[in-house]
Amino acid sequence: MGVLNVTPDSFSDGGQFIAPERALAQARRMIAEGADIIDIGAESTRPYGAQPIPVEEEQKRLEPVLAAVVALGVPVSIDSMKSAVVAWALDAGAVIANDVWGLQRDGGMAALVAQHRSPIVIMHNRDEADATIDIMKDIAAYFERSLAIAAKAGIATENIVLDPGIGFGKTQHQSMTALARLDELKVFKLPLLVGASRKRFIGVISPSEPHQRLGGSIAAHLLAAQRGARIIRTHDVAETVQALRVAAAIEDKR
Ligand code: HH2
């Protein structure tokens, strides 16, 4: 899954793809490099300093790019926590909803996703990190709540993807734990998505700016794939695809 942020303030690529022609060129490039899904977001979810924006602004940023990216022929997911934005994007050709609040924030999201029969990424999140909790237990309990909401709304199980939400409502160590113990989430018997790309825990282990975290991102993503992640969300498609292919080919020789 290649990340396309049409935002001025995303933590690693804010402002880079806000111009529609640059966003489209980036989508084309990621597809050529092997992305199977393009995830478009127009509101930053960074933990510090993100500007919450109204529906109209989010839609205004998406409008000049979404249909053009859809026309490239690869499934597009819409990264938004607002059901009004997701509804608009699904009508404009996006086919996957990516909700960083896992159906638990916007009361209209579950019914919308059920009605469209679209796949939904349910991501774990918390308002505040709490270093004292067992993060794996918290993630599992959160998924149970999201899955109950999904079932009640009539969302088909085969349309659900789970994501531990690396960097969301977690301490840096809890993000590492979620990656280290990702295989425990296999009990849900649903596909797992992981997005560790350029995130802050990498800079904690190895001091670096977001654009200098490619090596750390690849390390995290390879370990995630080994522990069962089926979808990897990344800003750096070519390098990640190569790493995953090499790891899979070597694994195949065992
Ligand atoms: N991470 C980000 C945004 N959306 N969605 C899912 N399902 N999983 C993630 O890990 C995830 C996500 C944050 O990364 P990015 O989009 O690059 O940053 P920003 O939110 O600042 O735009």
Side-chain angles (χ1 to χ4, degrees), residues 142-161:
Y142 178 102
F143 285 165
E144 296 287 1
R145 286 197 298 278
S146 291
L147 291 173
I149 295 168
K152 200 167 162 211
I155 296 173
T157 310
E158 64 260 29
N159 277 341
I160 299 176
V161 173

Side-chain angles (χ1 to χ4, degrees), residues 1 4 6 37-43 58-59 62 66 75-91 93-100 109 112-113 118-121:
M1 172 185 269
L4 187 61
V6 286
I37 302 168
I38 300 294
D39 186 43
I40 306 190
E43 178 178 44
E58 206 173 326
Q59 231 164 276
L62 291 164
L66 185 64
V76 169
S77 73
I78 173 70
D79 182 357
S80 177
M81 58 181 104
K82 301 190 192 84
S83 61
V85 173
V86 174
W88 174 84
L90 293 176
D91 284 340
V95 289
I96 303 169
N98 176 17
D99 180 7
V100 299
M109 194 71 91
L112 173 76
V113 167
S118 57
I120 167 85
V121 179

Side-chain angles (χ1 to χ4, degrees), residues 187-242:
V187 294
F188 288 98
K189 298 194 175 352
L190 290 169
L192 299 173
L193 183 154
V194 165
S197 194
R198 302 180 184 174
K199 284 185 179 168
R200 212 150 54 89
F201 78 93
I202 299 169
V204 170
I205 303 166
S206 170
S208 48
E209 294 303 312
H211 71 278
Q212 299 168 319
R213 295 177 188 160
L214 177 59
S217 303
I218 289 176
H221 285 149
L222 287 184
L223 289 171
Q226 199 179 48
R227 286 157 171 71
R230 296 290 308 278
I231 304 174
I232 299 294
R233 182 181 183 277
T234 179
H235 301 88
D236 301 291
V237 172
E239 296 85 350
T240 306
V241 166
Q242 186 180 67

Side-chain angles (χ1 to χ4, degrees), residues 16-28 64-65:
Q16 269 190 58
F17 306 113
I18 194 115
E21 61 282 4
R22 294 192 64 182
L24 192 60
Q26 176 67 358
R28 273 207 188 92
V65 245

